[in-house]
Amino acid sequence: MPAVQPSTPSVLNASAYKFVTLDDLPALRNRLHEAAASLGLKGTVLLAEEGINLFVAGPIDGLRAWLAQLRADPRFADLAHKESFSDKTPFRRLLVKVKREIIRMNQPAIRPEARRAPSVPAKTLARWLDRGTDDEGRPVVMLDTRNAFEVKAGAFEHAIDWQLRRFSDFPKALATHAPELAGKTVVSYCTGGIRCEKAALAMQEAGIEHVYQLEGGILKYFEETDGAPHWRGGCFVFDERELLDATLAPQAAPDATP
């Protein structure tokens, strides 16, 4: 469901990712950059053999036209994006880059394109958190897969925070803390879903039986729940807005930036 559009919007922001095999990276990079630049868009698009990750902003019609062009490629036909609005473009330039991974974990065996861990929709999660248990009566714990400074800006109540400096630290932290998660339903979460997608698979590989990822991440939770129940603070985003509140509007950032 797209974000509610204000009466006089000026800038549309979109984020999305998809794990899908890409074997034409230089040509794809050039094509996406040329199209985005021609439509006045700014932001970052990351491409790797494992897929695409994007955070872009610009004129509403231009950005939606670019997303439509992107989905014309069969590999991205089902790309789901999240929207928010702002008074100005929160990026200074346009970057389309080829990387080794679209989200670095240094675990090449973790391939979300091949399989996903189960996901839990936002409204179902809110119901679980109201009760403290899942539908089978197991205790529910939230595991934050973001960096420590992001967690400091805002997080789910009582969420587990392993004080990660970067996402590539997650496998080591998991090896240390996996026994603490036994017998619980563990819901991994992050800003837009990409980190918890890999984290949930890593937890399955570590033998944790009841693992879910929050579908669409924090931003989708904000969008689909009334007032973002069980959330405290704001959501840090990697652009000039820095922090979004539960309505997906920019708010004053705390002294939590790196």
Side-chain angles (χ1 to χ4, degrees), residues 24-239:
D24 58 341
L25 294 172
L28 180 60
R29 176 192 59 204
N30 293 341
R31 185 169 75 248
L32 294 182
H33 188 282
E34 181 179 352
S38 71
L39 292 166
L41 308 185
K42 295 182 180 179
T44 300
V45 181
L46 302 180
L47 302 170
E49 291 182 358
E50 67 176 0
I52 186 171
N53 187 18
L54 63 91
F55 309 86
V56 291
I60 295 170
D61 291 343
L63 180 46
R64 288 185 173 154
W66 184 79
L67 289 169
Q69 291 178 35
L70 184 60
R71 293 190 180 102
D73 184 325
R75 297 171 296 183
F76 306 122
D78 59 351
L79 182 76
H81 74 280
K82 290 168 283 294
E83 292 187 354
S84 62
F85 295 87
S86 58
D87 293 331
K88 63 179 182 178
T89 302
F91 301 99
R92 298 182 181 180
R93 54 182 175 166
L94 173 66
L95 294 173
V96 183
K97 301 194 292 186
V98 173
K99 306 280 284 186
R100 187 173 67 183
E101 298 177 81
I102 55 173
I103 185 66
R104 185 178 175 187
M105 194 184 203
N106 297 329
Q107 296 281 305
I110 302 296
R111 301 287 295 181
E113 181 185 10
R115 66 181 180 91
R116 295 183 89 218
S119 62
V120 57
K123 292 181 179 179
T124 299
L125 176 63
R127 177 166 52 80
W128 286 2
L129 294 177
D130 285 342
R131 271 194 327 222
T133 63
D134 67 10
D135 293 334
E136 297 180 5
R138 282 186 296 270
V140 174
V141 295
M142 301 297 295
L143 176 60
D144 205 315
T145 65
R146 300 172 301 156
N147 300 334
F149 73 87
E150 298 173 77
V151 180
K152 185 178 178 181
F156 280 99
E157 293 174 335
H158 313 302
I160 297 170
D161 172 18
W162 287 340
Q163 291 289 301
L164 303 177
R165 293 182 60 247
R166 57 182 66 87
F167 183 61
S168 55
D169 294 337
F170 184 86
K172 183 178 179 180
L174 175 60
T176 300
H177 296 285
E180 303 165 12
L181 305 176
K184 300 179 176 69
T185 288
V186 184
V187 180
S188 65
Y189 75 93
C190 58
T191 307
I194 189 170
R195 284 178 279 190
C196 42
E197 183 113 20
K198 283 191 172 182
L201 288 177
M203 285 191 284
Q204 286 188 331
E205 293 288 330
I208 300 170
E209 187 174 1
H210 305 292
V211 174
Y212 292 85
Q213 56 193 322
L214 173 57
E215 186 67 37
I218 299 162
L219 299 181
K220 182 60 70 173
Y221 186 83
F222 283 3
E223 183 181 317
E224 296 193 349
T225 60
D226 183 17
H230 305 284
W231 179 269
R232 295 296 176 266
C235 179
F236 187 93
V237 289
F238 289 89
D239 59 50

